[in-house]
Amino acid sequence: MTTTAPQLGKKKEKKRGGILGNTGLYVAVSIAALLFLIPFYLILRNALSTDPEITGENWKLLPSFQWGNISELFDDQTVQFGRALWNSTVVAVLMTLGTLLVCSLAGYGLARIPYKHSTKVFYVVLATLMVPTAVTFVPSFVLVSSLGWVDTYRGLIIPGLFSGFTCFLFRQYFLGFPKELEEAARVDGLGYWGAYWRIVVPNSLNFFAAIATITFISGWNAFLWPLVIGQDPGSWTVQIALSSFITNQTVNFHLIFMATAVSILPLVFVFLFLQRWLVQGIAQTGIKG
Amino acid sequence: MSTTTTRGVAETAAAETSPSRPRRGLRSNATLNFWLFTGPFLIGLVIFVFVPIGWSVWLSFFDARYTVTPSHFIGFDNYKQILTNSNFPDSLLTFTVFATFIVPTTWALSLGLALLVNQLRFMRAFFRSVFFLPTAVSYVAAALIWKMSLFTGVRFGLANTVLGWFGVDNIAYLSNPSPPWYWVVIVTLRLWIQSGFYMILFLAALQNIPAELYEAAEIDGAKRGWQTFRYITLPQLRATSTAVILLLLIAAYQAFDEFYNLITTKATWAQTPLMELYKAALGTNQDYGAGSAGAVILSLLICIVTLAQGKIMGFGRGEESK
């Protein structure tokens, strides 16, 4: 089924190519694409402009390419933007590694290790999917602050590692993993740990890459939790720093937009580079809000 | 991390080399291994998910101002308070209206994009990337662009510049609740960020529709275009549509990031339920009891909406057609 589907899809496409007429189709899709690209263009244009160019009456398409804006942003002592970038990097990387480790192990255990109560445990995990995570931020904050984790990496990272949803995705994936490979490993005398690390993980790198990309992006873009936890500017992530620009307006326009560009560009590169896995992963797993 | 893993491998490998029958050794160790694999996750789940949920429900029945270990039991007073003395019910109502608008709109746009991209023969990957790219952008960054460049209330904003070419006066999009132009800002932002993601889901589903169905329909005399779309494509996308609508609904009720950044928190309009909870619990009053009561109400509401949608769309039927 899965192998024939793409071929059939191709055939269908050719047949249906004439519906809108190719020119009309490409005109429509190009207009839509232009609209989708406008915000990206605005960021880059404004990031490389002077303030008068941004706020001036006569609107120019191209900026004057003020590359000095980059160093100005990082030299500005009032914002600590470099610090925020570092915090976000640490949080997103550790969160990704931690989630992959913890959730993949649990997913494998639930999918593959025969234990009489495993279905009940699985229901416990499923139950957490019912409660929207954003709603629990008040008690989570209370808990984390009573642990003394406010303003710390621990507070930013650890509560986010235990995603019932990611665990669920891993379980579904491992259920479909070919059993023969593991059986061969067992005959060779490997235990569950051995089979997992030497056979299952190396053969699942695509899926791990997909989940890693999704987790990294959501870690990098997280806002509500870092806002609640990060009381001290030294612990701000990029998103909180950006938000402080919007609400305080103490910084100049060109710096605000340069900061936005710097916060987006790494992700856009990651995104374009890893797109194959990302699309595959999302299409395979279905969902991630 | 790497050190612990190698140690784990060595240990189990040593323990399990009962040479004659390795499989039996494995089975007797299944229970231990099960907890070894799932234990860390389950402990974290209990501490960081179940405890906060339980604590929240518990707090919601106590007078918990400025304290999270309250002693004064007040029953449903927190619920009464947040439902009568705050903007929380208004925000629930506003966001029910918001959801009934943004969900179908995003559904239609992402499906439309998927249909367009699916028909492309050249540069398909390029256009898919363009529509998908906003998924990488955070709501905060998008809010910044929308507020400070696209929809500023003044002439240098792109929207007002373009309107100015047609002789339209500047519109103050975000500083004024009537007319509610801020919805234009919010809706376009959401559409931009979300549509590409759901387009990918629809693209995957479209490619799984067997071509035979279209061939059979053609033999039966169905016209290509609207008829095949109405009687084949749409029903075949049912499972994906259900999932997409469900996710969009939950996302609409959980909206926070862009509202926090677009609309001043002092405003009385366009405050999301989560923002009201944020203000109640972490604002000047630090009323954790009322905040928790609101969280319980919002969770129940999302559950009800989800279940109702499942009932209407039919989860069971959706699964079958997959």
Side-chain angles (χ1 to χ4, degrees), chain A residues 1 5 8 11-13 15-17 19-20 22 25-26 28-30 32-33 36-40 42-43 46 54-57 59 101-103 105-106 108-110 113-115 118 121 124-125 128 130-143 146-147 149 158-159 162-164 167 183 186-187 189-194 196-198 217 221 223-224 227-228 239 242-243 245-246 249 253 256-257 260 264 267-268 271-272 275 278-279 282-283 286-288, chain B residues 1 5 8-9 12-13 16-17 22-23 26 30-31 33-38 40-42 44-45 47-53 55-56 59 68 109 113 116-124 127-138 140-141 143-150 155-156 158 161 191-192 195 197 200-201 204 206-212 214-215 224-225 233 247 250 254 256-257 260-261 274 277-278 281-282 288 291-292 295-296 298-299 302-303:
Chain A
M1 175 69 203
L8 292 169
K11 213 163 93 193
K12 177 187 74 192
E13 256 162 62
K15 274 195 174 170
R16 299 174 74 204
I19 297 174
L20 258 170
N22 257 331
L25 178 66
Y26 276 87
V29 83
S30 301
F36 268 71
L37 287 174
I38 284 177
F40 290 108
L42 285 176
I43 303 170
N46 292 348
I54 300 171
T55 54
E57 286 280 318
W59 221 85
L101 181 72
V102 171
C103 293
L105 284 176
Y108 184 78
L110 287 170
I113 303 182
Y115 168 58
S118 75
V121 175
V124 170
V125 175
T128 65
M130 300 296 159
V131 179
T133 46
V135 171
T136 58
F137 76 90
V138 174
S140 298
F141 168 74
V142 167
L143 179 87
S146 64
L147 289 170
W149 288 4
I158 295 176
F162 309 97
S163 158
C167 171
E183 274 169 6
R186 287 184 200 180
V187 171
L190 284 177
Y192 285 108
W193 272 98
Y196 181 73
W197 289 107
R198 294 194 203 165
I217 290 174
N221 285 344
F223 180 66
L224 178 56
L227 178 73
V228 167
Q239 308 303 331
L242 279 184
S243 169
F245 291 160
I246 310 182
Q249 306 208 2
F253 272 98
I256 296 178
F257 282 99
T260 316
I264 291 178
L267 218 49
V268 166
F271 206 72
L272 292 177
Q275 214 200 96
L278 189 56
V279 171
I282 290 174
I287 17 193
K288 172 93 185 186
Chain B
M1 195 186 92
T5 53
V9 169
T12 40
E16 243 120 55
T17 36
R23 297 190 109 225
L26 270 178
T31 307
N33 272 297
F34 179 83
W35 291 112
L36 216 61
F37 272 82
T38 58
F41 175 78
L42 290 172
L45 201 67
I47 296 177
F48 293 105
V49 180
F50 283 101
V51 167
I53 292 172
W55 199 337
S56 192
L59 276 177
V68 294
L109 180 63
L113 289 176
L116 274 181
V117 171
N118 196 41
Q119 286 186 39
L120 296 177
R121 271 189 273 169
F122 313 105
M123 295 174 72
R124 174 195 271 220
F127 283 107
R128 192 191 62 194
S129 304
V130 169
F131 298 130
F132 190 38
L133 201 53
T135 308
V137 179
S138 72
V140 183
L144 202 140
I145 308 159
W146 254 248
K147 187 178 185 179
M148 298 198 168
S149 193
L150 264 176
R155 184 52 81 207
F156 73 83
L158 187 65
T161 306
L191 284 175
W192 183 69
S195 301
F197 177 81
I200 297 290
L201 296 189
L206 281 174
Q207 275 155 17
N208 280 332
I209 301 178
E212 291 88 353
Y214 291 99
E215 282 157 16
R224 272 192 237 149
T233 314
L247 290 171
I250 293 173
Q254 295 203 30
F256 182 86
D257 302 10
Y260 181 92
N261 288 300
L274 272 189
L277 296 185
Y278 180 81
L282 301 170
Y288 296 113
S292 300
V296 172
L298 182 55
S299 305
I302 295 178
C303 284

Side-chain angles (χ1 to χ4, degrees), chain B residues 93-114:
Chain B
L93 186 68
T94 311
F95 274 76
T96 305
V97 177
F98 175 63
T100 52
F101 181 76
I102 192 77
V103 171
T105 317
T106 318
W107 176 86
L109 180 63
S110 47
L111 177 58
L113 289 176

Side-chain angles (χ1 to χ4, degrees), chain A residues 83-260:
Chain A
R83 178 70 205 248
L85 269 181
W86 171 246
N87 286 342
S88 278
T89 311
V90 171
V91 168
V93 168
L94 290 183
M95 188 178 263
T96 305
L97 293 177
T99 307
L100 284 185
L101 181 72
V102 171
C103 293
S104 75
L105 284 176
Y108 184 78
L110 287 170
R112 274 289 200 267
I113 303 182
Y115 168 58
K116 57 182 172 181
H117 296 305
S118 75
T119 323
K120 285 177 199 154
V121 175
F122 178 58
Y123 285 141
V124 170
V125 175
L126 269 190
T128 65
L129 299 185
M130 300 296 159
V131 179
T133 46
V135 171
T136 58
F137 76 90
V138 174
S140 298
F141 168 74
V142 167
L143 179 87
V144 166
S145 67
S146 64
L147 289 170
W149 288 4
V150 171
D151 286 334
T152 64
Y153 285 136
R154 275 171 301 176
L156 282 166
I157 297 165
I158 295 176
L161 298 184
F162 309 97
S163 158
F165 193 74
T166 310
C167 171
F168 172 74
L169 293 182
F170 270 113
R171 175 184 176 269
Q172 298 308 102
Y173 168 80
F174 287 131
L175 282 178
F177 189 84
K179 239 181 177 151
E180 297 77 25
L181 279 174
E182 289 158 274
E183 274 169 6
R186 287 184 200 180
V187 171
D188 290 347
L190 284 177
Y192 285 108
W193 272 98
Y196 181 73
W197 289 107
R198 294 194 203 165
I199 309 295
V200 178
V201 174
N203 283 297
S204 308
L205 290 182
N206 276 357
F207 190 78
F208 275 77
I211 298 290
T213 319
I214 296 169
T215 314
F216 184 86
I217 290 174
S218 59
W220 184 269
N221 285 344
F223 180 66
L224 178 56
W225 185 246
L227 178 73
V228 167
I229 284 295
Q231 319 245 310
D232 172 64
S235 70
W236 282 359
T237 60
V238 165
Q239 308 303 331
I240 307 300
L242 279 184
S243 169
S244 77
F245 291 160
I246 310 182
T247 39
N248 294 338
Q249 306 208 2
T250 47
V251 191
N252 307 315
F253 272 98
H254 63 278
L255 291 188
I256 296 178
F257 282 99
M258 183 48 83
T260 316

